[in-house]
Amino acid sequence: MVAETPICDFGWKAKDFTLPGVDGKTYRLADVRGEKGTLVMFICNHCPYVKAVIDRIVRDVKELEAHGTKAVAISANDAEHYPDDSFDNMKRFAAEHGLTFPYLYDESQEVARAYDATCTPDFFGFNADHELQYRGRLDESRKEAAAPHVRRDLFEAMKQIAATGQGPHEQIPSIGCAIKWKAA
């Protein structure tokens, strides 16, 4: 099922978490905080929208580090019903795609619920004070990567946040696979 992110709730404060990473470490929000901004991304292994842009995500995160921004990715999908998203497969996915940022597992889905994550990919761009300033798309890509020269919406927004503390007022929602919630 395809889902779209809601409009950015400017100023909403990032929620803390304690989650295991595919590298064997446990991370809290403070561990991934950037001096000028923090990007929290909800992704998964099997989603065609994520697969289409994971190389662009890795590129943008790497380039944003020079602007004082750090990033973390979280997978919260129900791995029992979607085994491609299991923790072991997350480890493989991270290695295959050369993830340079922590990739964390939200098995309980509490963090995804606290962030009101909607889809994969879902991007939350925070300023240095952990205030939400961006909740939009990576770029024009959908199930296929867009042309190489398209505007890098997320990258440009995070650069602006790092420089000014404020995100762009006009944002285009991200679109992707709905989070695979566990049955209640």
Side-chain angles (χ1 to χ4, degrees), residues 48-49 52-53 56 139-147:
Y49 293 89
V53 297
R56 293 173 186 217
D139 62 23
E140 293 176 16
S141 298
R142 294 292 188 241
K143 283 187 183 179
E144 297 82 26

Side-chain angles (χ1 to χ4, degrees), residues 62-83:
K62 198 176 290 185
E63 290 181 24
L64 285 168
E65 287 177 8
H67 298 277
T69 299
K70 289 190 178 179
V72 61
I74 300 170
S75 178
N77 277 358
D78 176 359
E80 183 178 329
H81 289 97
Y82 296 87

Side-chain angles (χ1 to χ4, degrees), residues 18-27 73 87 90-91 102-105:
T18 303
L19 295 172
V22 298
D23 60 0
K25 299 177 184 173
T26 299
Y27 291 87
F87 192 62
M90 288 174 59
K91 292 176 185 178
Y103 189 19
L104 314 181
Y105 186 38

Side-chain angles (χ1 to χ4, degrees), residues 44-64:
C44 72
N45 307 331
H46 87 274
C47 174
Y49 293 89
V50 173
K51 287 180 175 181
V53 297
I54 191 63
D55 59 327
R56 293 173 186 217
I57 291 172
V58 171
R59 173 201 65 195
D60 289 356
V61 167
K62 198 176 290 185
E63 290 181 24
L64 285 168

Side-chain angles (χ1 to χ4, degrees), residues 31 79 93-94 109 116 130 152-153 157 166:
D31 299 324
F93 184 87
Q109 300 184 320
D116 197 23
H130 282 261
R152 295 163 65 186
D153 297 312
Q166 302 291 311

Side-chain angles (χ1 to χ4, degrees), residues 111-123:
V111 176
R113 290 192 189 286
Y115 277 74
D116 197 23
T118 305
C119 60
T120 56
D122 198 346
F123 303 102

